[in-house]
Amino acid sequence: MARLLSIFVLLVFVLHVASESTGEVVEQINGEEFTEELLFRPLPDRKVLSHFHFESKVPPTNSYGHHHRLFPKAIYQLVHKYRIREMELSFTQGRWNYESWGGFDPVSSSNAKPPGVELWAVFDVSADQVDASWKNLTHTLSGLFCASINFLESSTTYSAPDWSFRPLSSNLRYGSLPREAVCTENLTPWLKLLPCRDKSGLSSLMDRPSIYRGFYHSQRLHLTSGEFDPMASDHGIVLEQTLTVVLQPDALETRGRKLQPNWSMSSLFGKTVDGKCALAKSSNVYVQLEGSLVHNMKDEGDEGLESNLNFEFSISPDRIMKEVNSFHREHSSILYGFSIKDHHSKPFDLGFKWNLPVTWSCVKAPLRVSRFLMGSGNERGAIALSLQSTEWSQSLPKVDHNEEKCRLKVDVFQVVPWYIKVYYHTAKVYVDGVPQSFGDAIEKLSVSPSEDKVSPGVMEMSLKLPCDLKSASLTLEFDKGFLHIDEYPPDANQGFDIPSAIISYPDFQTCMQYKQDNASIKSPMVSKMQEKRKILSYTEVLLVPLTTPDFSMPYNVITITCTVFALYFGSLMNALRRRVGEEERLLKEKDKKSGKLPSLFSKLSAKLRGKPWDPPSSSSSSKFISSKTAALVNILILNCLGVNVMNLIEKAASILGKKLERTKFVKMLFGTDFEN
């Protein structure tokens, strides 16, 4: 009986410990969060914007520990090894169309990126260790995402912005690679950071051919960490992954009127969603209609938003949110929300169908920005930045109430490679074609001139322009430098890229405040839209042609030099290694083997001709002397040829820009000096 009682007590104790440990595990799992969301937005030029948003959160290490179940281990180790406070990495193919797709909303301001690769990071290290941390970070990201990000380790490719890119941020480094090609090798490592990868949930829609045939594709990774900030000890690490794609659905024409194209998830991506990711806290799909679109549609109103005559959904929305306190109060956007958690029985395939034709336009940035080159030739040129007003700039509020005249502040951040010698004192500003003085148009200027093969040129400029302007322009003159033959990239005749300039408006911020019907539903993507963000615009990438040498000439010189070298040294070694004594012995043996028959024939022929007979005893010696003479002649000829070859090598070396010494080169090859 006592034994059974002890076994029962032990069993109760084990169950109690197991329940406590299970509770701790559940509590730790609940500490990490992962959400997945997808936003669709019809665009005025008959395209559809698809914006994937994934967010992973982990509590601070002090309270949660080092082991994670949902958060990617590679990112966690990256943050702690290089002490990263904030980082953003983007891979972009194509260019964002600010004219047709807008530039004032949070999605375009945050996800419209320059072509190629863009990377910036803020480190929590001392000032003398920032560059070393940046170089190590670029190598790590290069291996993690299968890209050439390690090229940003050179001091000639990155810069340290002061105030124009991100204000009040020290230990910041910024770099970009405009020519970096984006392909599936970069998308696959990006998907591996998700808990469900691309096997289930919204990430299963990412069909590679569908994504890369789009007009614009940008995958972004944004990282914020409070691990090293004592004031933000309650905040852990937040990883935000976004994929923005602009696709073209099939158009439909009815009764002579061209309707906006109907679309569905299966028609855009060729796949449907079978269910949400099992590890995701929430999985939602949203359809956003812009304010001008809602204003132009018929029968608008809160009571008719769900059953509008202009369009219809294949699935009824779970909730409808209307924008409040919008930039244009009469044009409020609408957000339709769909939850995937109730669609496990059948695939989730959201469709959008237009019933009536409608036209609208997106909200643009205050100014339309473009950049181009001026001048001709391979010596000099100029960079021109053009700013043109939009229809929205007339309704902008006045930003400076102390002055009678409204002023619009524009910040310009531009990085120029070192081989483009920019003369910053030649900066000229024109407003509506009229030249402006330096003090009237430029409020603040910070310039870091380039240093040859060390650092690029960085310009941070704050322009002060009138709000009622029609156009403005900024010009900078430059000289084109010369590169060493080893510094030219592959396909140098294509030209050299100047990274995109970044234009921002410090007095204006974008956000979208939505009134949610259910306060318990918290969407990270909607919360990001409600945060105030700076309006950013990227210019085009400039392609500058530089003077390039004839790369075929060194190839021809190297080819003919190697050919002559092979002939010379082959003949020389053959002449030097020939053994004359062995040849003489072979000739004597040949004479002995021939016997007396040849001598008898020679005597008989001499008697018939009536001439005296000479014995053939001196034939071998004459042959020996002739062979010696031939060998000496060959050596003399080859030595003369060698001198000519050395002269040819020196000429080839001068063409290639290398300084070779003939004596040192010969000693390096043979350990002796043949000239002596």
Side-chain angles (χ1 to χ4, degrees):
M1 186 67 181
R3 184 177 180 182
L4 292 176
L5 182 61
S6 61
I7 294 175
F8 178 75
V9 172
L10 181 61
L11 182 60
V12 171
F13 176 75
V14 170
L15 292 176
H16 178 69
V17 172
S19 63
E20 288 185 354
S21 61
T22 304
E24 292 178 358
V25 171
V26 172
E27 185 178 356
Q28 289 183 0
I29 293 175
N30 293 334
E32 300 182 51
E33 291 184 4
F34 171 72
T35 58
E36 54 178 5
E37 294 170 300
L38 174 59
L39 173 68
F40 290 106
R41 181 199 295 172
L43 298 176
D45 58 348
R46 310 175 62 79
K47 298 180 180 63
V48 177
L49 170 67
S50 304
H51 177 67
F52 294 85
H53 184 275
F54 306 95
E55 186 175 280
S56 302
K57 292 183 179 180
V58 63
T61 305
N62 297 332
S63 60
Y64 190 75
H66 298 275
H67 301 284
H68 310 105
R69 184 171 180 264
L70 301 179
F71 198 83
K73 183 179 180 180
I75 300 299
Y76 177 81
Q77 293 177 345
L78 192 75
V79 171
H80 281 266
K81 184 173 183 178
Y82 304 119
R83 299 183 65 86
I84 300 174
R85 285 188 178 180
E86 191 173 3
M87 184 194 76
E88 183 172 293
L89 173 65
S90 63
F91 297 87
T92 306
Q93 178 181 345
R95 185 174 182 270
W96 183 266
N97 190 346
Y98 290 95
E99 184 69 19
S100 301
W101 305 339
F104 203 89
D105 59 286
V107 176
S108 61
S109 183
S110 302
N111 298 277
K113 295 297 178 181
V117 171
E118 183 191 41
L119 173 66
W120 60 267
V122 181
F123 300 92
D124 187 20
V125 296
S126 57
D128 57 342
Q129 297 179 356
V130 176
D131 292 335
S133 300
W134 169 266
K135 293 179 181 180
N136 294 329
L137 175 64
T138 56
H139 281 273
T140 305
L141 293 176
S142 178
L144 186 61
F145 291 98
C146 299
S148 303
I149 309 176
N150 58 312
F151 287 166
L152 292 175
E153 71 162 347
S154 175
S155 59
T156 60
T157 56
Y158 68 88
S159 59
D162 190 11
W163 49 268
S164 61
F165 184 69
R166 290 183 67 85
L168 302 177
S169 59
S170 59
N171 296 341
L172 171 66
R173 294 296 181 268
Y174 173 87
S176 62
L177 297 173
R179 196 174 289 192
E180 180 71 15
V182 182
C183 60
T184 56
E185 293 181 355
N186 311 123
L187 181 61
T188 301
W190 186 85
L191 289 172
K192 288 183 178 180
L193 300 177
L194 302 175
C196 296
R197 299 191 177 184
D198 58 347
K199 305 303 180 183
S200 63
L202 294 176
S203 57
S204 61
L205 292 174
M206 296 183 184
D207 180 57
R208 273 55 166 190
S210 301
I211 291 176
Y212 287 100
R213 75 162 182 261
F215 291 84
Y216 176 82
H217 160 261
S218 178
Q219 62 184 62
R220 185 174 68 97
L221 184 144
H222 186 265
L223 181 68
T224 56
S225 172
E227 295 282 329
F228 314 107
D229 190 0
M231 303 299 295
S233 58
D234 297 336
H235 300 281
I237 305 175
V238 179
L239 175 63
E240 180 186 357
Q241 295 177 249
T242 61
L243 176 65
T244 307
V245 187
V246 177
L247 301 174
Q248 174 71 65
D250 296 332
L252 178 64
E253 188 172 356
T254 306
R255 298 178 183 178
R257 296 180 300 178
K258 210 168 186 180
L259 295 175
Q260 288 286 334
N262 303 329
W263 53 267
S264 63
M265 297 171 68
S266 58
S267 64
L268 292 177
F269 301 102
K271 294 182 179 180
T272 58
V273 180
D274 296 331
K276 74 169 188 176
C277 175
L279 300 175
K281 182 180 180 180
S282 62
S283 181
N284 300 315
V285 178
Y286 297 94
V287 177
Q288 184 185 34
L289 302 182
E290 298 193 62
S292 58
L293 171 60
V294 177
H295 179 74
N296 294 338
M297 287 190 306
K298 299 178 181 179
D299 300 328
E300 65 174 354
D302 292 342
E303 65 278 2
L305 293 178
E306 187 172 353
S307 59
N308 197 288
L309 298 178
N310 293 270
F311 65 90
E312 61 183 49
F313 293 105
S314 61
I315 302 174
S316 299
D318 298 328
R319 55 191 178 276
I320 302 175
M321 294 173 284
K322 187 175 181 179
E323 184 184 3
V324 295
N325 299 327
S326 62
F327 180 73
H328 299 279
R329 296 182 182 274
E330 59 179 355
H331 302 165
S332 298
S333 62
I334 300 175
L335 199 64
Y336 297 88
F338 304 85
S339 181
I340 304 182
K341 62 182 180 180
D342 298 328
H343 294 271
H344 291 285
S345 58
K346 59 180 180 179
F348 181 85
D349 187 13
L350 176 63
F352 188 90
K353 180 181 179 181
W354 292 97
N355 296 326
L356 296 175
V358 62
T359 58
W360 75 97
S361 60
C362 296
V363 182
K364 303 177 181 62
L367 297 176
R368 185 185 303 111
V369 184
S370 62
R371 191 178 60 163
F372 53 90
L373 293 175
M374 298 192 306
S376 60
N378 292 326
E379 294 184 8
R380 298 178 180 87
I383 300 176
L385 184 67
S386 175
L387 306 172
Q388 297 181 356
S389 63
T390 60
E391 61 270 20
W392 305 105
S393 59
Q394 302 298 330
S395 58
L396 292 175
K398 293 187 177 182
V399 298
D400 196 349
H401 300 282
N402 297 327
E403 298 183 4
E404 296 181 357
K405 192 174 182 180
C406 173
R407 290 288 180 176
L408 175 63
K409 293 183 180 179
V410 181
D411 290 345
V412 181
F413 171 66
Q414 183 167 270
V415 180
V416 181
W418 64 268
Y419 43 80
I420 304 296
K421 314 294 183 180
V422 179
Y423 300 110
Y424 295 100
H425 69 279
T426 62
K428 298 179 181 179
V429 180
Y430 300 87
V431 177
D432 295 333
V434 180
Q436 302 292 317
S437 62
F438 189 87
D440 294 339
I442 300 177
E443 183 179 19
K444 188 177 181 181
L445 178 63
S446 176
V447 171
S448 176
S450 62
E451 187 176 352
D452 289 353
K453 304 179 183 181
V454 176
S455 62
V458 181
M459 184 191 71
E460 299 177 85
M461 179 182 293
S462 180
L463 298 176
K464 185 172 55 176
L465 305 174
C467 293
D468 56 350
L469 85 163
K470 295 182 180 179
S471 64
S473 60
L474 170 67
T475 60
L476 292 168
E477 298 179 4
F478 65 86
D479 284 347
K480 300 179 182 180
F482 292 92
L483 302 178
H484 192 269
I485 189 172
D486 297 333
E487 296 172 347
Y488 284 92
D491 195 10
N493 293 313
Q494 178 183 353
F496 293 79
D497 296 312
I498 297 181
S500 301
I502 304 177
I503 311 299
S504 60
Y505 308 91
D507 293 317
F508 299 96
Q509 294 178 335
T510 176
C511 66
M512 288 185 174
Q513 300 290 337
Y514 286 100
K515 183 179 179 181
Q516 301 186 25
D517 297 335
N518 190 355
S520 61
I521 301 176
K522 294 183 179 180
S523 169
M525 185 177 62
V526 177
S527 300
K528 290 290 182 181
M529 291 182 181
Q530 295 178 356
E531 295 178 359
K532 293 184 178 180
R533 295 176 177 269
K534 183 192 294 187
I535 302 173
L536 296 179
S537 299
Y538 290 87
T539 64
E540 301 89 347
V541 176
L542 294 182
L543 192 63
V544 181
L546 296 182
T547 303
T548 56
D550 185 7
F551 292 101
S552 62
M553 186 60 188
Y555 172 77
N556 297 334
V557 172
I558 292 173
T559 303
I560 190 172
T561 303
C562 293
T563 303
V564 175
F565 248 124
L567 294 175
Y568 168 70
F569 283 106
S571 303
L572 180 62
M573 297 304 294
N574 186 25
L576 292 177
R577 290 177 60 85
R578 179 177 296 174
R579 293 177 293 182
V580 181
E582 185 69 18
E583 292 181 357
E584 183 181 0
R585 185 180 62 81
L586 292 175
L587 289 175
K588 289 181 179 180
E589 291 180 356
K590 185 177 180 181
D591 292 340
K592 290 181 180 180
K593 290 181 180 180
S594 60
K596 297 181 179 181
L597 185 61
S599 61
L600 293 176
F601 277 110
S602 62
K603 288 181 180 181
L604 181 60
S605 61
K607 286 183 178 181
L608 292 176
R609 289 180 296 177
K611 294 182 179 181
W613 174 70
D614 295 330
S617 59
S618 62
S619 61
S620 60
S621 61
S622 62
K623 291 181 181 179
F624 173 68
I625 295 173
S626 62
S627 62
K628 278 187 175 182
T629 305
L632 292 175
V633 171
N634 288 336
I635 292 175
L636 292 176
I637 293 175
L638 291 175
N639 285 332
C640 296
L641 183 61
V643 173
N644 295 329
V645 169
M646 292 301 176
N647 295 331
L648 183 61
I649 292 173
E650 290 180 353
K651 292 181 180 180
S654 62
I655 293 175
L656 294 174
K658 299 178 180 179
K659 297 180 180 179
L660 296 178
E661 296 182 5
R662 179 173 53 190
T663 305
K664 291 183 179 180
F665 182 71
V666 174
K667 287 183 178 180
M668 179 182 66
L669 288 178
F670 303 101
T672 182
D673 190 355
F674 284 104
E675 292 184 354
N676 298 328

